Amino acid sequence: MSSFRARLALSSYRWIGSAIYPFVWSYLALRAAKGKEDPARRRERYGHASVARPQGPLVWFHAASVGETNAVIPLIKEIHRRGINVVLTTGTTTSARVAAGRLGSAVIHQYVPLDFKPAVNRFLEYWQPDLAIIAESEIWPMTILELGRRHIPQVLVNGRLSDRTFARWKKRPALADALFENLALVIAQSDVDAERFRTLGALPVMVSGNLKVDTDAPPHDPQALKEYRQQIGTRKTWAAISTFDGEESAAGVVHRALKERTGLLTIVVPRHPERSDAIEAALTAKGLKVARRTRRDPLTPDVDIFLGDTIGEMGLYLRLTEVAFVGRSLFAEGGQNPLEPAMLGCAVLSGGNVQNFRETYQMLAKNGSAKIVRDVEMLAKGVNYLLANDDMRRSMIDAGLETVQEMRGALSATMKGLEPYINPLVVKARLEPRNDL
């Protein structure tokens, strides 16, 4: 049971939220000005629905951003295929675009309501979900408590807890227990994640593996790929993807060091494309010529950097190379998902700060498909070595494809864990035909 202190903390969270709720509009307006909110759909953040609820059983999926959205798309498709309605909430405009592109009208997309009691209540009263499925590590106290109060089962899928997040929750064991005890089931990515969830009070917990391995390879525009390949010709290429501040400049340093010997084209794909103007300015100041995807700039022989400043086209960028450095690992912490480059036939390089994807990198490195670099100089040497040694590059690529295949199976394991919650909804859907939008 929750301690008095934990109940007091949650009560304070509720009352503080109620106090500041009327003033949240200014926060959302600021985010909208930065392109992080859709002004036309801002009411959804207050729990107001923008479309009609379909008839029949409904599962609410929540995925915070692009990575989580991509991870649960196969699971969403599987549940929708069984005749169950799905409403998917996300927290970013980029993830909304990904959902629209990969799911279309198969599901309803809404922006996630703010974690304030009025917004959460309004959302739940309208949509009346039969089941809530949360991706990875999204723990919002008011949402969890209101779902629990309504006795709506909550399942955390593809669950993971980073070192930092786990340490933060461990300092508040009573509060963690008061929240995690509301979860009907946690389906964790790894044994380490599973044990961490159990420590924080979640039961039952099972292990599925990583759903991101069971996703399809990122899509691409075949015509754009053909045109870019023709423009690149015989030039050697490498990519720095999902980069954070400082890593784009590092890519520029690597390019300058290797260009004269290799005629190199460097592809840079920032994690946050809204930074692209600043990235281009910084690279141009180094004397590098930048072509941007959004401008449809041609990749002429004098172009140094191809800046992938779009959302949802990682499949295009990775198909233009066989060597990929995965960012948020040299100058930022946590790392980014290395599975997409591995499944698209790239030898993977990364900095050492990959705590959020530790198990995935361990498997890739163990099989020889990923290598860790300490600094920019070592990155340059690694890129140069892989571009110059076809046998080693091909060996890493083949090992990556084999590793991804070995890691598959999370989708079927997750569906098996969800059966006690999904099967009754399948029966309900047959008895009460849904009214598709």
Side-chain angles (χ1 to χ4, degrees):
M1 293 293 293
S2 305
S3 71
F4 172 76
R5 184 174 296 179
R7 291 196 298 271
L8 181 61
L10 291 172
S11 179
S12 299
Y13 180 90
R14 181 184 296 112
W15 283 108
I16 292 172
S18 298
I20 66 175
Y21 180 71
F23 307 100
V24 174
W25 65 269
S26 58
Y27 166 72
L28 293 180
L30 180 61
R31 283 177 54 86
K34 295 180 179 180
K36 296 182 178 181
E37 296 281 344
D38 185 343
R41 297 174 59 183
R42 201 182 305 174
R43 282 171 53 83
E44 293 175 22
R45 299 286 266 146
Y46 293 94
H48 293 283
S50 58
V51 296
R53 186 201 190 280
Q55 181 182 351
L58 181 142
V59 173
W60 172 25
F61 272 85
H62 174 60
S65 192
V66 173
E68 295 88 348
T69 301
N70 282 328
V72 297
I73 281 176
L75 187 58
I76 290 173
K77 289 180 177 178
E78 183 63 26
I79 289 176
H80 183 266
R81 186 182 65 80
R82 300 186 182 203
I84 301 171
N85 298 299
V86 172
V87 58
L88 167 66
T89 60
T90 64
T92 65
T93 55
T94 52
S95 53
R97 290 195 290 270
V98 168
R102 299 191 65 177
L103 290 170
S105 60
V107 304
I108 300 164
H109 176 270
Q110 299 282 276
Y111 284 105
V112 65
L114 295 163
D115 197 47
F116 298 110
K117 188 178 177 69
V120 173
N121 279 344
R122 189 177 292 115
F123 180 90
L124 294 177
E125 287 170 6
Y126 181 85
W127 293 105
Q128 299 182 19
D130 297 274
L131 172 67
I133 298 178
I134 307 161
E136 298 204 5
S137 57
E138 282 288 284
I139 306 298
W140 290 104
M142 193 52 56
T143 300
I144 286 178
L145 293 176
E146 288 303 310
L147 284 166
R149 188 171 68 83
R150 288 169 169 79
H151 304 291
I152 299 170
Q154 305 174 60
V155 179
L156 187 70
V157 300
N158 214 40
R160 67 179 180 90
L161 286 170
S162 67
D163 296 347
R164 181 178 298 178
T165 301
F166 180 56
R168 189 164 59 242
W169 279 116
K170 277 188 69 177
K171 294 178 181 178
R172 304 167 180 83
L175 181 60
D177 185 68
L179 292 173
F180 285 91
E181 69 179 4
N182 287 279
L183 300 177
L185 173 66
V186 171
I187 305 178
Q189 292 186 21
S190 69
D191 291 330
V192 171
D193 291 308
E195 187 56 37
R196 288 178 172 181
F197 280 110
R198 292 189 189 102
T199 299
L200 297 176
L203 287 173
V205 180
M206 61 172 284
V207 178
S208 66
N210 192 339
L211 278 173
K212 292 176 180 176
V213 187
D214 281 16
T215 60
D216 296 329
H220 70 289
D221 179 343
Q223 184 59 35
L225 179 63
K226 179 181 178 181
E227 291 175 0
Y228 281 132
R229 281 178 170 170
Q230 289 175 343
Q231 293 171 14
I232 293 170
T234 60
R235 295 179 70 183
K236 294 182 181 295
T237 64
W238 76 290
I241 67 168
S242 300
T243 54
F244 278 62
D245 188 27
E247 291 171 332
E248 298 88 12
S249 292
V253 171
V254 172
H255 180 86
R256 289 174 65 97
L258 304 182
K259 181 184 177 183
E260 288 187 9
R261 285 177 286 170
T262 62
L264 190 64
L265 173 68
T266 295
I267 303 165
V268 175
V269 187
R271 178 66 178 82
H272 300 291
E274 61 269 20
R275 296 176 49 240
S276 293
D277 287 345
I279 293 170
E280 180 180 18
L283 292 172
T284 301
K286 294 179 182 292
L288 301 172
K289 182 172 181 179
V290 177
R292 291 176 65 164
R293 170 67 173 149
T294 53
R295 292 197 301 246
R296 299 296 190 267
D297 294 334
L299 302 182
T300 53
D302 60 337
V303 167
D304 297 294
I305 307 291
F306 178 27
L307 185 55
D309 54 350
T310 55
I311 292 293
E313 290 196 300
M314 191 64 78
L316 170 65
Y317 303 128
L318 288 174
R319 284 178 171 89
L320 294 174
T321 189
E322 290 186 339
V323 178
F325 164 77
V326 183
R328 200 184 181 183
S329 59
L330 267 183
F331 305 119
E333 293 186 1
Q336 292 291 111
N337 181 19
L339 292 171
E340 288 184 343
M343 70 174 59
L344 281 176
C346 291
V348 175
L349 298 172
S350 173
N353 302 319
V354 294
Q355 299 89 334
N356 292 349
F357 297 88
R358 181 185 293 112
E359 290 79 13
T360 301
Y361 272 102
Q362 285 175 343
M363 292 193 67
L364 291 171
K366 178 182 177 182
N367 291 348
S369 55
K371 295 187 181 299
I372 303 298
V373 299
R374 293 188 306 272
D375 50 31
V376 178
E377 181 180 356
M378 191 173 177
L379 174 61
K381 290 179 179 178
V383 172
N384 184 55
Y385 181 78
L386 289 174
L387 292 178
N389 290 270
D390 294 343
D391 290 343
M392 174 57 73
R393 188 175 69 255
R394 285 297 335 163
S395 175
M396 289 183 67
I397 290 170
D398 291 344
L401 294 171
E402 291 174 7
T403 303
V404 169
Q405 191 60 38
E406 289 173 10
M407 293 173 67
R408 292 188 184 276
L411 178 60
S412 60
T414 300
M415 283 303 302
K416 184 175 181 179
L418 289 172
E419 280 180 359
Y421 307 96
I422 296 298
N423 289 346
L425 300 184
V426 173
V427 175
K428 183 179 178 181
R430 291 171 181 168
L431 295 175
E432 185 181 2
R434 62 182 182 175
N435 188 18
D436 283 327
L437 297 177

